Amino acid sequence: MNKNTCLVGLQYGDEGKGSISQYLSYNYEVFVRYQGGGNAGHTIYKDGKKIVTHFLPVGVARGKDSMGNDPICILANGMVINPISLVQEVKDVSNAIGVSPESLVKNIFISNKAHVITEKAIEKDRQREELQKIGTTKTGIGPTYESKYNRTGLTVSEALSNPEYKEFVEMFSSNIVNTEILLNELNDENYRIFFEGAQGALLDVDFGQYPYVTSSNCIPSAIGTGAGFSPRKIVLNIGVIKPYTTRVGAGPFPTEMSKEEDEAFRLKGDEWGATTGRPRKCGWLDIPSLRYAIQLADIDEIAVSKMDMLDGVEEIKVCVGYSLDGSYVDGISDFPTGKEWDKVSPLYESWPTNKFLESLQEYLDIKIRITSWGPNIEDKVFIRSGSKTDLAMSMRNKSDKV
Ligand code: IMP
Ligand code: MG
């Protein structure tokens, strides 16, 4: 069974969701974004070209499947959309994959209920950042969700009469619909649907390190309200992680590396924000927070991206628990909140990199299904059973390729 799937990040965003989504996109027909907006930056490489999507799910760049069908993309009601940036993104993506914007747009459907990111919201995000210092992407996310919930927001259907959005309206005129109905119809017709999460579980507005979070729920259950699609109809939740952690923006970061380690990692891993260009702070893998995220996101399988970062490294530091006020915190039965984060000290182990996947699977108690050893589709390894031999083979497969 290879049906409705949700893929989310289990860290602070930038886990490599784009690349894994692209690899999986050949198994699905419909691609959905259900939260967030242009704060996301999902990077893929196609025919040697780098493509970054912000509003569109990366499935948009897949091209025809083996049956000759183009991908169907849905920007659902839980999203916040900047019409002007979206028009530009459509032009950029269509240019990169060598199709006309008109033919790309034919299969992109936008919820009439999604909220519009206005210039005013962007300005408010910028101004507030001066005081609040969350380290937002300054793309107007917070103020737009704020207007939505205080009932002064502008929906996509209301924006259609605004001359400022003329190009957007012309481009999408026949594709602004009740995407919740479309989505349920497609499901009834047995289309395979892929939900692409943005940001990550540790930036979730409820379960992240509030207030250092984004303004939406990032976990799969957000699909219920963010797309009008019951999470019961999703059969597989995939969580994406890197073998280390990165964070852009402010907030607690218990496993943050020393300055020297951080700089070395950033260079090797090319860790700069895809949306803002900011350097990403690097930290060691944080097992307790992954356990917490796996629990909340009800994850079935893990995909590990950026495994090539372990090349030439014999051992890697991993945080396996926290010490907090004299207690041991494992991320399953307890997890820090608020001011407690200031008192957390990470407990580290050093794992041999050739046993990394095995140890990870054991500590997280969940199957590792995909590993990624580079930015291209060919760099992905699908792990069938999750047995020790299989995991070791996945490590070896990579060295065969070099
Ligand atoms: P906002 O979503 O722009 O309001 O930013 C809130 C926090 O989430 C900041 O720490 C941002 O750096 C972070 N953030 C938002 N979107 C992403 C993302 O796609 N990747 C990584 N961090 C993000
Ligand atoms: Mg990103």
Side-chain angles (χ1 to χ4, degrees):
M1 183 162 53
N2 202 353
K3 256 196 92 183
N4 304 342
T5 297
C6 176
L7 178 138
V8 293
L10 298 181
Q11 296 165 319
Y12 302 100
D14 304 318
E15 298 89 353
K17 295 181 290 293
S19 177
I20 305 286
S21 298
Q22 181 192 23
Y23 168 67
L24 293 171
S25 64
Y26 295 88
N27 303 320
Y28 299 88
E29 289 138 342
V30 183
F31 302 91
V32 185
R33 277 279 308 271
Y34 56 92
Q35 46 81 222
N39 47 352
H42 296 174
T43 308
I44 59 169
Y45 289 83
K46 193 168 174 158
D47 307 323
K49 281 197 200 114
K50 178 176 176 172
I51 304 172
V52 184
T53 68
H54 300 284
F55 296 95
L56 299 168
V58 302
V60 73
R62 188 201 63 192
K64 292 191 188 306
D65 63 14
S66 56
M67 308 291 286
N69 295 315
D70 286 313
I72 298 171
C73 294
I74 294 179
L75 309 189
N77 57 285
M79 283 191 78
V80 287
I81 295 172
N82 180 330
I84 295 161
S85 309
L86 176 58
V87 166
Q88 190 57 48
E89 187 171 320
V90 166
K91 290 180 188 169
D92 293 344
V93 171
S94 51
N95 186 31
I97 63 171
V99 301
S100 68
E102 294 73 28
S103 73
L104 196 72
V105 159
K106 247 191 338 208
N107 287 313
I108 302 175
F109 297 91
I110 301 177
S111 168
N112 47 22
K113 299 173 188 67
H115 276 245
V116 172
I117 301 174
T118 61
E119 273 307 311
K120 223 167 110 189
I122 296 171
E123 190 46 40
K124 205 165 169 185
D125 195 0
R126 282 201 199 109
Q127 283 171 6
R128 195 173 286 157
E129 212 19 57
E130 301 286 318
L131 303 167
Q132 211 182 2
K133 305 247 186 289
I134 300 288
T136 76
T137 58
K138 299 184 186 166
T139 51
I141 305 299
T144 306
Y145 279 116
E146 179 183 332
S147 307
K148 171 176 174 172
Y149 287 102
N150 72 20
R151 295 158 294 182
T152 58
L154 178 70
T155 62
V156 166
S157 65
E158 284 163 349
L160 295 179
S161 52
N162 187 331
E164 212 182 311
Y165 303 131
K166 190 163 167 273
E167 201 179 355
F168 168 77
V169 175
E170 279 169 10
M171 188 179 254
F172 288 103
S173 58
S174 38
N175 292 24
I176 294 169
V177 299
N178 289 317
T179 51
E180 65 281 16
I181 293 179
L182 173 63
L183 202 49
N184 282 290
E185 272 172 6
L186 289 167
N187 181 64
D188 290 344
E189 290 166 27
N190 287 319
Y191 278 79
R192 289 167 297 188
I193 307 173
F194 185 86
F195 294 87
E196 181 177 313
Q199 291 80 53
L202 304 180
L203 290 172
D204 185 282
V205 65
D206 281 273
F207 303 109
Q209 295 155 323
Y210 194 88
Y212 301 100
V213 293
T214 190
S215 297
S216 64
N217 288 109
C218 309
I219 56 177
S221 45
I223 292 167
T225 51
F229 190 79
S230 169
R232 288 199 307 175
K233 295 176 182 159
I234 293 163
V235 298
L236 180 65
N237 286 335
I238 301 175
V240 187
I241 64 173
K242 290 192 281 209
Y244 54 101
T245 314
T246 59
R247 175 162 208 172
V248 284
F253 193 3
T255 64
E256 189 167 2
M257 293 176 184
S258 72
K259 200 166 176 294
E260 298 75 47
E261 292 165 333
D262 173 90
E263 275 166 15
F265 247 77
R266 179 168 324 113
L267 282 176
K268 188 170 175 188
D270 196 22
E271 295 289 359
W272 274 270
T275 298
T276 57
R278 290 180 292 178
R280 296 175 184 150
K281 292 179 278 188
C282 299
W284 304 110
L285 190 68
D286 182 343
I287 298 280
S289 68
L290 290 181
R291 289 186 179 133
Y292 181 67
I294 286 168
Q295 181 176 152
L296 296 169
D298 190 18
I299 294 299
D300 301 298
E301 295 177 354
I302 297 282
V304 190
S305 69
K306 292 244 184 178
M307 281 296 290
D308 49 319
M309 282 291 282
L310 304 188
D311 282 349
V313 179
E314 297 237 313
E315 294 200 323
I316 186 160
K317 231 163 110 173
V318 175
C319 164
V320 295
Y322 302 145
S323 158
L324 174 64
D325 287 333
S327 304
Y328 181 77
V329 175
D330 62 5
I332 300 171
S333 51
D334 198 10
F335 198 66
T337 59
K339 289 261 174 271
E340 281 177 344
W341 281 108
D342 301 338
K343 297 186 284 179
V344 162
S345 30
L347 305 168
Y348 288 109
E349 280 183 4
S350 196
W351 291 358
T353 48
N354 61 359
K355 291 264 168 64
F356 178 80
L357 293 176
E358 228 180 85
S359 308
L360 184 64
Q361 186 163 278
E362 189 184 316
Y363 275 67
L364 296 180
D365 193 21
I366 191 164
K367 267 212 170 76
I368 296 170
R369 184 63 81 193
I370 298 163
T371 53
S372 171
W373 303 82
N376 299 303
I377 290 188
E378 311 80 74
D379 303 319
K380 310 291 179 272
V381 177
F382 187 80
I383 302 171
R384 226 154 264 291
S385 78
S387 68
K388 283 185 183 177
T389 332
D390 247 7
L391 294 172
M393 280 297 286
S394 164
M395 304 289 295
R396 197 145 2 107
N397 264 349
K398 156 63 185 156
S399 31
D400 287 348
K401 268 187 227 142
V402 183

